[in-house]
Every structure is written in C-alpha cells, then in structure tokens.
C-alpha cells in the first residue's frame, strides 16, 4: 500500500516562542537564553559562547590520528551504533582523559573546505541529527571540557548522542558547519531538544539555574506521537499497538490506482490483492480437484459441473470488503486517526497529506514508520501497461480471464498460474531463467513438474518484447511476441489475458525521503535499517516489504510492527527475529519451507558438513483417487557440526502450510534429527513422514514409494 504524511511541527511550533519555556523574556535573558532563532533551521540558541566549552580556555587540537584501515566518514547512524567514528547512542559516556599539554594548532588554510553543495548537504545532515535526538553533544575525545559535559549528562541518567569530531574524517568540516549554525567555534557544543545550550560553562550554568532540567523535560509540540505511512498489515499492527500504549497515532494510507484503474481500501496488499484472495482462489481450485477425486470415493452426479468466475470473485470481494471495514473499525476503537491521503515528507518531522481531490494538509509527529509496501513491476515494452494486468487487477477482474499467459516465475506467478489452471483455464507460464528464485531449486523444479502434470505449459528462456491487441472485449484477444534469452529465436502466441508477475517495486520514490536524509537503496528502492527497524534518520522507522534484505511476508511485517511500537512506547526491548521464518507457496501442490535452502546451507556451512535426509511420499487421500504416488516430497537439511540440528525444512504436498507451521516452532526451539526420530508420528498424515526419515542424499538409496 502506498501512503504518506508526517510532520515536523516541533520546529515551527517553537519558532518565535518566548525564551525559557514559560520564563519571561527578562528571565530568559538573565539565564543566557537568546530569544532570536533561525526559523529555517528549527533550532534555538543560547547566546554567549565559550571557547572549547569553557569561557576561559582554548584547548589545543592534537596531532591527527593514524589513518584508518578503511575510509570512514561522518554519517547519521542508527540507534545503537558504535560511537567510534560515528554517532552512537551513549548513555552519558565520557571520552578518554585528555592528553596533557595539548595546545591549539591552527588548521591549514582551506582545510575542511567543501563545495557549496557538499556544505549544504552536511548542514542538512547536522540539522537532521539535532532534530532527531533529545540530546546531541559535539565533542572531542581529548577535550577535558567535553568530558565534563558528558559526565554531567551521565550523572543525570540522560541518553546522549555524541559525535566525537576528532574521530570522524569530516570533523573539521562538521565543526565549520556548526560554527555557521551556532556562531560557536569550539567544543563541546550541546543541543537539548533542538535548543543550543552552548559549551561547557553555559551547560553547567543552565544546570545550576534549573534551565537544563526544564529543557530536558520539554517535548516538541507535534501533532502526533507517531504517524504511520501506509495502511497495510505491518503499518496497522504498529499503529494499533502504539495506540494501545497510550500514544496519539495517525495512519496515512492512499492507493494509487493501477494502470487498469484498480484500487482498494484499507488493509494493504495482503488483505486486498495478495494473501487473502490468493488463498481463497487456491481453495476454489482445490475444490475442483476434490470433485474429480470424489467419483472414486463413490460420489455420483450426472449434471455437468461448471465454475462461475463472477460468483467466486463477488464472494471473495465481499469478504475482503468486510476485512477492510474491520480494520477501519479497529482503528476507530483504538482512537487511531485514519486519513485516506498520500503522505510525503516536506521537512523534518513534517509531512504533506494529499487526498484524491488534490487537497493538502500538513501534519507533524515525533516519530514516523514507513510501511508503504510494494507494487507490481511492468516490463517496459510496447503494450504492457495498456493491455496486461497484474495481481493488483486479477482478484477483482469482472470477467473470466480465459486463456492466460503468466509472465514470470515468482511465487506470485506460479500461484496465480496454479489456481487459474485448477479452475479449468488454459495457462502458459513464460520463464526468463529459473523458477522461484531464492527458494530451494530442487523444490522449485518439483513444483514446476507438479504443475505440468495439471496441464500448465512452461515456455523456458523467453521474454516478451511486445503485446498487441487483436480484439477488444472482456477478455478480448492479445498477441504476444517473445524473444529467446539464449539466441535470436522469436515466437508468437495468442491469449485472452496476459498477467505480469515479474517482481515488485518498493513504494518509496515519492515519499520525499531524500528531503530528510533517509537512505534508500539506489538499486532496489528499499530502505536499509538496523536491527531495530530504524532508518538513517533516527526518528524514522520502517517495517514490511520496503525493508532491505528482509523476508517479504505479512506475518513478519505484523510482528515487526507490533514489537517496534512496544520498543518505542512501551519500554520493551524484544526485536523481530528474521531467522527461520516459515513460508509456503500456494501452488496446486503446496510447497512449504523454513530455514535454509540446500544451496544456501551449502554456502554457509559447506556441503561436507551437511546431512540431507529426504523421501518421496504418497498421501493416503491420493491412493483411492489414483493420483501419482511419487510426486510429494519431504527434505530436511541438518548441520553435522551442531548435533544434526535441522537448519532447513522443505515439504511439497497437500496442506504444506499447515505442516510447516508446526515444524517452524520446533526449529525455533533447536530441533535436531534425533528429536525428530524420537517423536511419534500421527498416522496416517503427511507430517509423520518427518519422524521416519532415514535415507540421506549422500547414500544414493532409492526413495520412491510403493505404498502408504
């Protein structure tokens, strides 16, 4: 889901306010608080500045340290980063004692000078640090006045975000930029809730007068404690949990219609155009197979059985509508403000929310969570946006798609191809390279083989280059021209519908993230975060499919969002565990997995350190129905060096999702091969096969089945 809005009311709310948070102007002047501020910076200043944090002494700059082993530069790190050469969260940590006898050594002319653009970028990053933290101390490790200030905050039990300017390569440039912002040329330079307190002497004066304590107790006047941009599963989970914890929360959510004009309500991809409608259509296809099997079990019926696409989609859309409405009710019950508008950052802590009529409203918040998800990718060839559909359109398509070409080999592609074939449609899958990239490739090929048995046709090593409309209609007729990836061969095909499932792009491009300094991968468009889902801007977090290098699964986003809210507002410390996350591909014959693929396990642990146990199996339900006895497959990958701990679990068979869920919990608890052997299976079930695995791949023994 795409959404947006957030705010920085803190700066504007405080610009022009009276000094001292409740003091008169006269009191403010006596305490050293300067009433003039720089509105464009959103930062206040205390006037009289002291050299090197002291009004009486200028501390020398030490000789430069030895060059680092690799280039390191000043950046805006995430929470919990190491303070060495980078900003870190340090609870009042004091630097090492200053070397005796240091005296000032003037910098070389022009040292640290940056270009205009670089200076402006550095200035923006510094302001981002100041905006995003309660206490920021610009310091030098050898400066005794800096040490005194750090010890003061430590004694107060205050978390300080400290940047040691002598430990970053851009330290001189940082200090010069700070001088332009504050007119103070020395360290320490202390900011509390965006107020520039000054150096060492002024910090201690503020402490003695009580002003420092007042500043520490103040919170910027934001509209909300939290704004969540994106109303999908992860965003809603985070928003509701934060509201339960007593915070004022807003959700901004807006669905940009697909090129075919498809849009939907609250709930994100999973509810509207993903997991929920996909599983229901998968079930519709399984019921068709069950009808075929039922004759072997004695069910007799003479009338011709047909499937109604319109009846199915109407029922599914009705259910989705109820889920979306349920999400709105849940937000209302928890006093979460829901705004159906697109959110875009305009400055720190501030977003612009634009509704479908183009009306704009600004909102501010102390913290933000980006949960905008992804949308299907297009090929970029003639006719793709005009004539093709994606999963955004399929589940609410008002007509039966007819003969369908599915382009792609992702799990979305194979799942859609599978249930369309199960509904009796002619289905072709065009594959550029491999099936289910990122999954265990042995399992992926077995999935493909099982789909071929159901009549799905695969065109390997071809990609479309043009889509032409031959006839209008619902669905109409399309001609697809495709080219081989291995040569010059070109083929053509006629289809009623072309479904693109070649991947998804993160919805991050139009959120204004560059305006506040949130790092986004140029290659993927995804957002790198630390282990607490924190982005490069400390008050901005992200969950769900927009995360770089994390599983793109609804339950993962839900868990991450809930735990994030608890850490931010509930005093909890639990983090989302992205390891051993189970998943299932809902192809006609389901594929469930948890942990490593065989390929990845070999890379991580080395093949010689692995035991791979496997077998084919024949579900009892398939015996009377006369279905193939050597299609379903089970495999576990065990680490020999860790007591044969199960590090990879794979199953291809009926109800694979249900089977995998239980074994995933066991893997969290350290499941080993011996524990599986010691477990008594439930007979007759598919899951019991994992309690009787004996044959390893290395043995080369036959695994075909001839009975139950």
């Amino acid at each position: 889901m795409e959404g947006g809005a957030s705010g920085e009311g803190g700066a504007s709310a405080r610009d022009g306010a009276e000094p001292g948070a409740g003091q008169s102007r006269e009191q403010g002047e006596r305490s050293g608080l300067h009433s003039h501020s720089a509105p464009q910076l959103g930062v206040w200043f205390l006037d009289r500045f002291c050299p090197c944090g002291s009004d009486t002494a200028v501390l020398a700059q030490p000789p430069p340290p030895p060059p680092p082993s690799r280039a390191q530069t000043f950046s805006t790190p995430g929470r919990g980063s190491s303070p060495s050469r980078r900003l870190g969260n340090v609870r009042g940590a004091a630097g090492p004692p200053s070397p005796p006898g240091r005296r000032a050594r003037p910098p070389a002319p022009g040292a640290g000078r940056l270009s205009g653009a670089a200076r402006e970028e550095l200035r923006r990053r510094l302001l981002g640090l100041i905006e995003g933290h309660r206490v920021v101390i610009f310091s030098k490790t050898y400066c005794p006045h800096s040490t005194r200030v750090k010890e003061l905050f430590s004694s107060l039990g205050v978390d300080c975000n400290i940047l040691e300017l002598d430990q970053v390569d851009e330290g001189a440039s940082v200090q010069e930029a700070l001088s332009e912002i504050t007119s103070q040329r020395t360290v320490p330079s202390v900011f509390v809730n965006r107020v520039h307190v000054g150096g060492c002497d002024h910090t201690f004066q503020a402490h003695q007068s009580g002003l420092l304590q007042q500043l520490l107790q103040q919170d910027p006047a934001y509209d909300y404690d939290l704004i969540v941009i994106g109303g999908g599963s992860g965003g809603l989970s985070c928003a509701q949990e934060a509201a339960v914890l007593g915070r004022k929360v807003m959700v901004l959510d807006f669905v940009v219609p697909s090129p075919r004009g498809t849009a939907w309500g609250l709930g994100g991809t999973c509810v509207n155009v993903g997991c929920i409608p996909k599983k229901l259509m998968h079930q519709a296809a399984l019921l068709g197979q069950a009808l075929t099997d039922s004759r072997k079990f004695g069910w007799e019926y003479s009338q011709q059985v047909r499937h109604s696409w319109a009846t199915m989609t109407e029922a599914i859309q009705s259910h989705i509508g109820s889920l979306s409405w349920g999400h709105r009710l849940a937000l209302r019950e928890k006093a979460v403000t829901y705004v159906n508008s697109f959110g875009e950052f305009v400055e720190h802590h501030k977003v612009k929310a634009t509704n479908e009529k183009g009306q704009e409203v600004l909102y501010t918040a102390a913290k933000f969570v980006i949960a905008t998800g992804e949308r299907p990718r297009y090929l970029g060839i003639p006719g793709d946006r005009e004539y093709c559909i994606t999963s955004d359109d399929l589940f609410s398509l008002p007509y039966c798609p007819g003969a369908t070409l599915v382009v792609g080999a992702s799990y979305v592609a194979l799942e859609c191809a599978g249930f369309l074939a199960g509904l009796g449609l002619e289905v072709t899958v065009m594959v550029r390279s491999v099936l289910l990239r990122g999954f265990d490739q042995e399992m992926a090929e077995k999935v493909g083989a099982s789909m071929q048995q159901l009549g799905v046709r695969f065109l390997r090593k071809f990609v479309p280059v043009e889509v032409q409309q031959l006839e209008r209609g619902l669905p109409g007729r399309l001609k697809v021209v495709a080219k081989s990836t291995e040569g010059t061969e070109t083929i053509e095909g006629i289809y009623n519908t072309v479904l693109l499932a070649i991947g998804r792009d993160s919805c991050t491009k139009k959120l204004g993230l560059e305006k506040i300094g949130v790092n986004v991968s140029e290659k993927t468009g995804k957002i790198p975060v630390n282990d607490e889902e924190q982005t490069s801007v400390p008050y901005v977090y992200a969950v769900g499919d927009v995360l770089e290098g994390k599983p793109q699964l609804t339950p993962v986003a839900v868990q991450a969002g809930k735990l994030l809210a608890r850490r931010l507002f509930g005093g909890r410390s639990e983090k989302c565990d992205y390891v051993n996350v189970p998943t299932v591909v809902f192809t006609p014959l389901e594929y469930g997995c948890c942990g490593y693929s065989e390929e990845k396990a070999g890379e991580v642990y080395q093949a010689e350190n692995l035991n791979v146990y496997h077998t084919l199996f024949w579900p009892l339900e398939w015996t009377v129905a006369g279905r193939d006895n050597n299609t379903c497959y089970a495999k576990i990958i065990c680490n020999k060096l860790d007591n044969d701990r199960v590090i990879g679990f794979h199953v291809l068979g009926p109800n694979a999702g249900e089977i995998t869920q239980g074994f995933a919990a066991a893997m969290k608890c350290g499941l080993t091969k011996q524990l599986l052997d010691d477990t008594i299976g439930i007979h007759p079930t598919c899951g019991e096969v994992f309690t009787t695995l004996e044959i390893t791949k290395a043995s080369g023994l036959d695994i075909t089945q001839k009975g139950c």
Side-chain angles (χ1 to χ4, degrees), residues 289-290 292-297 618-628:
Q289 180 64 54
T292 302
D293 291 349
S294 69
R295 293 184 183 275
K296 294 290 185 70
F297 285 88
W618 195 16
L620 179 63
E621 298 85 348
W622 286 25
T623 56
V624 172
R627 296 170 70 177
D628 187 74

Side-chain angles (χ1 to χ4, degrees), residues 266-334:
L266 188 64
T269 295
C270 175
V271 168
N272 294 280
V273 291
C275 316
I276 299 302
K278 176 268 302 289
K279 180 69 181 295
L280 292 174
M281 290 193 175
H282 170 63
Q283 175 64 13
L286 293 182
L287 290 173
Q289 180 64 54
L291 280 172
T292 302
D293 291 349
S294 69
R295 293 184 183 275
K296 294 290 185 70
F297 285 88
W299 289 93
E300 298 178 358
Y301 46 91
S302 57
Q303 68 271 30
Q304 184 178 5
V305 178
R306 292 184 176 181
H307 179 265
S308 169
W309 178 273
T311 300
M312 176 186 69
T313 53
E314 181 180 351
I316 290 174
Q317 289 303 310
S318 176
H319 177 64
I320 289 172
S322 70
L323 294 178
S324 183
W325 178 246
H327 283 309
R328 296 189 68 166
L329 287 180
L331 293 180
R332 184 183 303 171
E333 290 170 356
K334 294 178 175 63

Side-chain angles (χ1 to χ4, degrees), residues 281-592:
M281 290 193 175
H282 170 63
Q283 175 64 13
L286 293 182
L287 290 173
Q289 180 64 54
L291 280 172
T292 302
D293 291 349
S294 69
R295 293 184 183 275
K296 294 290 185 70
F297 285 88
W299 289 93
E300 298 178 358
Y301 46 91
S302 57
Q303 68 271 30
Q304 184 178 5
V305 178
R306 292 184 176 181
H307 179 265
S308 169
W309 178 273
T311 300
M312 176 186 69
T313 53
E314 181 180 351
I316 290 174
Q317 289 303 310
S318 176
H319 177 64
I320 289 172
S322 70
L323 294 178
S324 183
W325 178 246
H327 283 309
R328 296 189 68 166
L329 287 180
L331 293 180
R332 184 183 303 171
E333 290 170 356
K334 294 178 175 63
V336 175
T337 302
Y338 164 58
V339 177
N340 183 207
S341 294
F342 186 93
E344 176 188 359
F345 284 95
V346 293
E347 59 182 81
H348 281 289
H349 291 281
K350 182 179 291 184
V351 293
K352 175 178 66 178
T354 307
N355 66 18
E356 61 182 354
K357 297 180 181 179
Q359 298 169 330
E360 299 176 354
V361 181
L362 297 177
Y363 298 103
T364 65
K367 290 180 171 55
F368 292 85
V369 172
I370 301 168
T372 48
E374 298 181 311
R375 295 292 291 272
R377 184 179 304 146
Y378 283 79
L379 288 164
I381 62 172
D384 63 342
R385 290 180 175 270
E386 294 86 352
Y387 308 124
C388 300
I389 66 170
T390 69
S391 56
D392 279 357
D393 312 296
L394 177 63
F395 302 111
S396 59
L397 204 64
Y399 54 85
C400 179
T404 303
L405 172 68
V406 178
V407 181
S410 64
Y411 71 89
V412 175
L414 298 190
E415 287 175 339
C416 292
F419 69 67
L420 290 175
L423 297 176
L425 303 181
E426 179 183 325
V427 178
T428 302
V429 179
M430 185 174 290
V431 182
R432 178 177 62 86
S433 54
V434 300
L435 302 179
L436 297 176
R437 184 179 300 278
F439 287 84
D440 187 286
Q441 282 303 291
E442 179 185 29
M443 302 302 296
E445 288 302 318
K446 288 183 178 294
V447 168
S450 70
M451 293 179 66
Q452 285 181 302
Q453 291 179 7
L454 295 178
V456 176
R457 178 188 178 210
F458 283 86
L459 290 174
R460 298 277 192 140
K461 307 295 183 181
F462 278 93
V463 292
V465 294
E466 185 179 7
V467 179
Q468 303 172 8
Q469 185 180 63
L470 300 181
E471 293 180 10
R472 292 179 177 272
L474 302 175
R477 294 176 70 238
L478 302 172
K479 182 172 78 170
V480 177
V481 181
K483 184 178 182 300
S484 170
T485 61
E486 298 180 327
T488 59
E489 181 184 2
T490 299
I491 60 174
E492 296 181 356
I494 307 298
Y495 308 95
N496 298 119
T497 299
V498 177
L499 172 67
L500 303 181
I502 57 172
R504 301 172 68 82
D505 293 323
S506 297
C507 301
T508 56
K509 290 184 178 179
K510 298 181 180 180
L511 299 182
L513 299 178
E514 71 285 351
K515 297 175 185 175
I516 59 170
V518 174
N519 290 338
V520 178
S521 169
E522 293 184 5
K523 181 178 180 181
T524 65
K526 292 181 178 291
I527 301 174
V529 296
N530 62 14
D531 62 353
E532 295 188 340
E533 287 80 43
Q534 188 179 45
T535 72
S536 57
V537 173
Y539 63 85
V540 180
Y541 298 79
V543 297
D545 290 357
V546 295
L547 297 188
E548 182 80 65
K550 298 293 190 293
Q552 298 175 31
L553 300 167
T554 294
V556 173
V558 170
Q559 178 81 335
K562 179 171 61 177
L563 294 180
L564 172 59
R566 290 176 180 176
R567 290 195 306 274
L568 292 178
F569 306 117
R572 302 282 288 274
S573 59
E574 295 92 341
K575 302 174 186 178
C576 184
D577 184 359
Y578 292 99
V579 178
N580 284 340
V581 175
T583 190
V584 63
V585 181
F586 287 104
T587 40
L589 193 57
E590 296 177 9
Y591 164 38

Side-chain angles (χ1 to χ4, degrees), residues 86-343:
R86 295 182 181 273
L87 174 66
N89 279 346
V90 183
R91 191 172 181 80
S98 60
R102 295 289 191 198
R103 284 295 171 225
R105 184 180 66 183
R113 293 298 175 90
L114 300 174
S115 67
R119 288 164 65 87
E120 183 58 33
E121 170 65 12
L122 179 59
R123 181 188 181 93
R124 183 190 61 76
R125 287 156 58 193
L126 287 174
L127 292 175
L129 288 177
I130 296 165
E131 291 279 351
H133 293 84
R134 184 186 182 202
V135 177
V136 181
I137 301 175
F138 295 92
S139 170
K140 291 183 180 178
T141 58
Y142 58 83
C143 172
H145 305 293
S146 297
T147 300
R148 287 186 62 206
V149 166
K150 289 181 282 191
E151 290 174 344
L152 171 63
F153 282 98
S154 178
S155 69
L156 297 174
V158 175
D159 286 328
C160 300
N161 294 274
I162 302 167
L163 182 63
E164 303 289 4
L165 299 187
D166 60 325
Q167 297 293 301
V168 294
D169 293 340
E170 298 177 24
S173 298
V174 171
Q175 190 160 1
E176 184 176 347
L178 277 174
S179 174
E180 294 175 358
I181 294 172
T182 66
S183 300
Q184 176 181 335
R185 300 185 59 82
T186 56
V187 296
S189 189
V190 180
F191 291 83
V192 178
N193 277 331
R194 299 185 305 135
V195 175
H196 184 242
V197 178
C200 180
D201 286 358
H202 275 92
T203 301
F204 275 88
Q205 290 170 10
H207 175 55
Q208 292 166 3
S209 69
L211 176 59
L212 182 62
Q213 287 78 357
Q214 291 182 34
L215 291 175
L216 288 170
Q217 292 170 4
Q218 292 176 8
D219 286 322
Y222 296 123
D223 298 332
Y224 292 90
D225 297 311
L226 174 68
I227 290 180
V228 177
I229 305 177
S233 302
L236 293 177
S237 172
C238 185
Q240 293 182 64
E241 189 69 16
V244 168
L245 294 170
R247 298 298 173 152
K248 186 178 181 183
V249 183
M250 169 183 276
V251 171
L252 290 168
D253 185 65
F254 186 86
V255 180
V256 177
S258 74
R260 295 291 294 264
T262 308
W264 49 86
L266 188 64
T269 295
C270 175
V271 168
N272 294 280
V273 291
C275 316
I276 299 302
K278 176 268 302 289
K279 180 69 181 295
L280 292 174
M281 290 193 175
H282 170 63
Q283 175 64 13
L286 293 182
L287 290 173
Q289 180 64 54
L291 280 172
T292 302
D293 291 349
S294 69
R295 293 184 183 275
K296 294 290 185 70
F297 285 88
W299 289 93
E300 298 178 358
Y301 46 91
S302 57
Q303 68 271 30
Q304 184 178 5
V305 178
R306 292 184 176 181
H307 179 265
S308 169
W309 178 273
T311 300
M312 176 186 69
T313 53
E314 181 180 351
I316 290 174
Q317 289 303 310
S318 176
H319 177 64
I320 289 172
S322 70
L323 294 178
S324 183
W325 178 246
H327 283 309
R328 296 189 68 166
L329 287 180
L331 293 180
R332 184 183 303 171
E333 290 170 356
K334 294 178 175 63
V336 175
T337 302
Y338 164 58
V339 177
N340 183 207
S341 294
F342 186 93

